[in-house]
Amino acid sequence: MSEDLDHEIIYRNLLERLRTFPIAATAGEMGLNCRDTGQAEIPMLGSLYLVGQNGVSHVDEAPVSTMQGLVLAGYLMRRGAGRPTGSYVPLGHLTERVPGKISHAVVKLEARLTRIADNNPQAFALALESMGARPGGEVGSGGHSWLIEPLPKLPAQVVFYPGDDEFPATCRLLYDPVAINFLEFNHLSTLTTVFVDTVAALAISR
């Protein structure tokens, strides 16, 4: 079964569950605004989305991809709570066992993120800023970091180390351990893909 088909099946199941899900009550519990239409407002990576019993939509009626919809529906239905720890770890540290397929996918995503950051650091930084990221200061030896909430109360950190004569460039997306309270592990993996896709699209437009 292809990964795209996996996402389609999961998303269809989430949409079916949304039809009877207590959206307004859950939005209130999570501190999200809920419209009179019964749709919860969820900001994600600099854009605002609506999640209701009829599905997921962009506030400006722009198309919503399967992966975006999956993450947003999964986020609301997780009914997450908890305080950030202030520390950041790789995605694989948020589960006791990382399936090989997901581990390989994360390596590929971070390699893609590294290429974007290394090819045009200024466009990369501007893309992160437009997604709501703020500078987090220098890290390690010459590295730069940004702090961002891809979704409300779900903190993450982007770390970029420019390459030199000794080491190649490296860029990583790290999550506060509280993230697993707000998205199950597989959905966090999908969020990572959505994050990288969004950075790529915004960096190209700079």
Side-chain angles (χ1 to χ4, degrees):
M1 185 179 294
S2 72
E3 186 174 359
D4 287 345
L5 185 56
D6 285 346
H7 287 140
E8 288 283 355
I9 292 171
I10 294 169
Y11 187 37
R12 284 202 301 268
N13 289 338
L14 288 172
L15 289 178
E16 186 61 32
R17 290 171 56 197
L18 272 178
R19 295 182 184 278
T20 56
F21 189 77
I23 292 173
T26 302
E29 293 169 6
M30 297 178 67
L32 301 170
N33 186 47
C34 189
R35 298 192 168 188
D36 293 339
T37 56
Q39 296 168 297
E41 295 182 353
I42 304 180
M44 180 173 71
L45 300 174
S47 294
L48 184 62
Y49 298 85
L50 304 175
V51 180
Q53 292 183 332
N54 292 326
V56 182
S57 60
H58 193 279
V59 71
D60 294 328
E61 299 184 356
V64 176
S65 71
T66 296
M67 286 192 292
Q68 289 172 325
L70 186 160
V71 168
L72 289 158
Y75 173 80
L76 184 68
M77 299 179 76
R78 183 76 163 173
R79 307 178 85 153
R83 294 182 178 276
T85 67
S87 61
Y88 298 93
V89 298
L91 177 64
H93 289 201
L94 299 180
T95 183
E96 293 181 359
R97 182 178 180 183
V98 183
K101 182 179 178 182
I102 291 179
S103 179
H104 179 66
V106 171
V107 170
K108 289 178 63 177
L109 286 169
E110 290 187 339
R112 185 181 173 203
L113 199 61
T114 299
R115 288 194 298 271
I116 297 168
D118 196 37
N119 288 340
N120 193 333
Q122 184 177 8
F124 178 72
L126 288 172
L128 291 178
E129 182 181 324
S130 70
M131 295 160 64
R134 66 184 190 279
E138 291 191 8
V139 290
S141 178
H144 304 279
S145 71
W146 294 263
L147 301 176
I148 187 171
E149 283 192 351
L151 289 159
K153 302 181 182 179
L154 195 160
Q157 181 186 48
V158 181
V159 179
F160 173 56
Y161 293 94
D164 55 29
D165 293 339
E166 190 172 357
F167 299 103
T170 304
C171 191
R172 307 193 75 182
L173 175 63
L174 309 173
Y175 291 101
D176 188 297
V178 78
I180 202 68
N181 292 5
F182 290 88
L183 275 177
E184 64 177 75
F185 181 77
N186 286 345
H187 294 176
L188 270 173
S189 178
T190 304
L191 174 61
T192 304
T193 301
V194 172
F195 176 86
V196 175
D197 286 346
T198 304
V199 171
L202 290 171
I204 288 172
S205 68
R206 300 292 165 182

